[in-house]
Amino acid sequence: MAHNVKNILALQAELGECPLWSVEEQVLYCVDILAPAIHRFDPVSSELQTFPQAEEVGCIGLREQGGLIAALRNGVWLLDAQGKPEKKIAENPGVAAQSRFNDGRVDPWGNFWCGSLWEPQDKNGGLLCRVTPDLKLEVKAQDIKISNGLAFSPDRQWMYHSDTPNESLYRYPLNEQGEPGERTLFRRFDAKGGLPDGAAVDSEGFYWSAQFDGGRVVRIDPQSSEIVDEILLPVKWPTMVAFGGADLKTLFITSSREDRTEEELARYPQSGDIFAVDVAVAGIAEPRFRG
């Protein structure tokens, strides 16, 4: 299926990540991990607000009480609506000098999940963490090199999670309280087609995965784990997707220009920008952190 990809914001982010649609505000949030900054973008008015951060910001979530929850390098913080820190609620449980937070989101039970990456890349030193509404951080998974692709099925039966350099997409069964069981390998990727980066699940339960270094986003069948659709992009390094728009049928896509050569950027000058694609199946409204 051919898709019409629009560049909606020439952000030129070093490492654009974590697009997040606010249904109430009808705006798109995202981060530039390395700037570091949180952005708030209104696609109708094209108004862009930028909230600089003190250190790398891996991922964010919306809060029921207003403002944001954010995983920065040294720990997890509650932020106000302008991205200013209100309270540090947890330390980075890893070695902060060599491990920063990366991908994450709020789950249907109101917990905030945040995964980390191991920067030396010489071992699987990343972690997958969950912050509960009573503001306690728990390490829920290890043996990860770069934590990515966290998403939850609409029936609350499955949690997806990818490890980008290890070319793996995992799936965890969830009980009624949202506790994950043992992970199983859901799909192995071939690096020639891209590595599994950030993701989102649509209302039919299909998993949409940004293929880093592959220049595309793929839609994966939750039953067969096969790719059933793809969106080809004008950039080679997409990082994450999010459903938004008035009907949740717009797929927003962030991208990266981190560590790219002059030749690569000349070939892909839109790297770091944000793209939008109209899709046939709606996504799911993002839950809010209940803490």
Side-chain angles (χ1 to χ4, degrees), residues 65-145:
Q65 297 180 4
L68 302 165
I69 182 171
L72 279 65
R73 174 179 287 272
N74 281 296
V76 180
W77 287 76
L78 300 180
L79 311 177
D80 68 14
Q82 283 70 48
K84 295 179 180 178
E86 290 184 341
K87 180 181 181 181
K88 187 175 186 178
I89 58 175
E91 298 288 337
N92 182 343
V95 181
Q98 296 177 294
S99 174
R100 64 162 175 79
F101 282 109
N102 196 50
D103 178 272
R105 67 171 3 109
V106 177
D107 72 17
W109 293 267
N111 305 290
F112 178 61
W113 290 77
C114 46
S116 64
L117 62 84
W118 182 249
E119 290 171 312
Q121 294 289 286
D122 57 353
K123 65 176 182 179
N124 290 346
L127 304 172
L128 180 59
C129 306
R130 182 178 69 180
V131 180
T132 56
D134 59 359
L135 308 184
K136 294 180 180 178
L137 184 145
E138 312 161 321
V139 175
K140 303 301 288 185
Q142 303 182 47
D143 190 29
I144 302 160
K145 192 168 284 186

Side-chain angles (χ1 to χ4, degrees), residues 2-10 19 21 28 41-44 208 217 231-235 238 240-255 270 272-280:
H3 294 276
N4 182 23
V5 179
K6 302 176 183 177
N7 186 326
I8 61 164
L9 180 61
W21 181 258
L28 182 74
F41 178 64
D42 183 336
V44 175
W208 295 73
V217 171
I231 299 171
L232 300 179
L233 302 169
V235 295
M240 192 173 175
V241 301
F243 289 93
D247 56 3
L248 294 177
K249 288 186 176 180
T250 300
L251 191 71
F252 296 102
I253 307 164
T254 50
S255 64
Q270 298 178 73
D273 292 353
I274 298 178
F275 304 89
V277 182
D278 292 333
V279 292

Side-chain angles (χ1 to χ4, degrees), residues 10-276:
L11 190 61
Q12 295 285 282
E14 276 296 300
L15 182 51
E17 267 283 8
C18 199
L20 171 65
W21 181 258
S22 170
V23 172
E24 289 79 7
E25 300 170 84
Q26 291 291 292
V27 298
L28 182 74
Y29 288 89
C30 69
V31 306
D32 183 343
I33 294 178
L34 302 178
I38 298 170
H39 300 286
R40 180 184 184 274
F41 178 64
D42 183 336
V44 175
S45 68
S46 296
E47 179 186 2
L48 175 67
Q49 295 176 280
T50 298
F51 311 129
Q53 300 299 303
E55 55 192 28
E56 296 100 316
V57 51
C59 55
I60 55 175
L62 300 168
R63 295 165 54 195
E64 281 190 347
Q65 297 180 4
L68 302 165
I69 182 171
L72 279 65
R73 174 179 287 272
N74 281 296
V76 180
W77 287 76
L78 300 180
L79 311 177
D80 68 14
Q82 283 70 48
K84 295 179 180 178
E86 290 184 341
K87 180 181 181 181
K88 187 175 186 178
I89 58 175
E91 298 288 337
N92 182 343
V95 181
Q98 296 177 294
S99 174
R100 64 162 175 79
F101 282 109
N102 196 50
D103 178 272
R105 67 171 3 109
V106 177
D107 72 17
W109 293 267
N111 305 290
F112 178 61
W113 290 77
C114 46
S116 64
L117 62 84
W118 182 249
E119 290 171 312
Q121 294 289 286
D122 57 353
K123 65 176 182 179
N124 290 346
L127 304 172
L128 180 59
C129 306
R130 182 178 69 180
V131 180
T132 56
D134 59 359
L135 308 184
K136 294 180 180 178
L137 184 145
E138 312 161 321
V139 175
K140 303 301 288 185
Q142 303 182 47
D143 190 29
I144 302 160
K145 192 168 284 186
I146 296 182
S147 180
N148 255 316
L150 192 72
F152 298 85
S153 63
D155 60 8
R156 301 189 180 191
Q157 297 296 305
W158 299 101
M159 179 177 79
Y160 295 91
H161 180 237
S162 66
D163 188 335
T164 303
N166 287 322
E167 305 177 4
S168 300
L169 172 59
Y170 299 104
R171 199 163 70 163
Y172 298 74
L174 299 170
N175 66 18
E176 291 184 356
Q177 289 73 44
E179 287 294 333
E182 185 176 353
R183 81 180 187 185
T184 57
L185 181 67
F186 185 64
R187 182 182 174 89
R188 181 81 68 184
F189 290 80
D190 182 344
K192 294 179 181 178
L195 299 170
D197 207 311
V201 172
D202 65 29
S203 56
E204 293 181 349
F206 286 70
Y207 182 85
W208 295 73
S209 173
Q211 299 291 285
F212 191 84
D213 203 36
R216 61 181 185 149
V217 171
V218 297
R219 186 179 190 235
I220 298 174
D221 189 303
Q223 302 299 323
S224 67
S225 77
E226 295 299 314
I227 294 173
V228 297
D229 195 8
E230 70 173 358
I231 299 171
L232 300 179
L233 302 169
V235 295
K236 196 175 180 183
W237 306 280
T239 54
M240 192 173 175
V241 301
F243 289 93
D247 56 3
L248 294 177
K249 288 186 176 180
T250 300
L251 191 71
F252 296 102
I253 307 164
T254 50
S255 64
S256 170
R257 59 195 291 117
E258 178 191 9
D259 294 334
R260 305 275 64 100
T261 66
E262 289 185 8
E263 180 181 358
E264 287 173 324
L265 292 177
R267 186 176 180 185
Y268 302 103
Q270 298 178 73
S271 297
D273 292 353
I274 298 178
F275 304 89

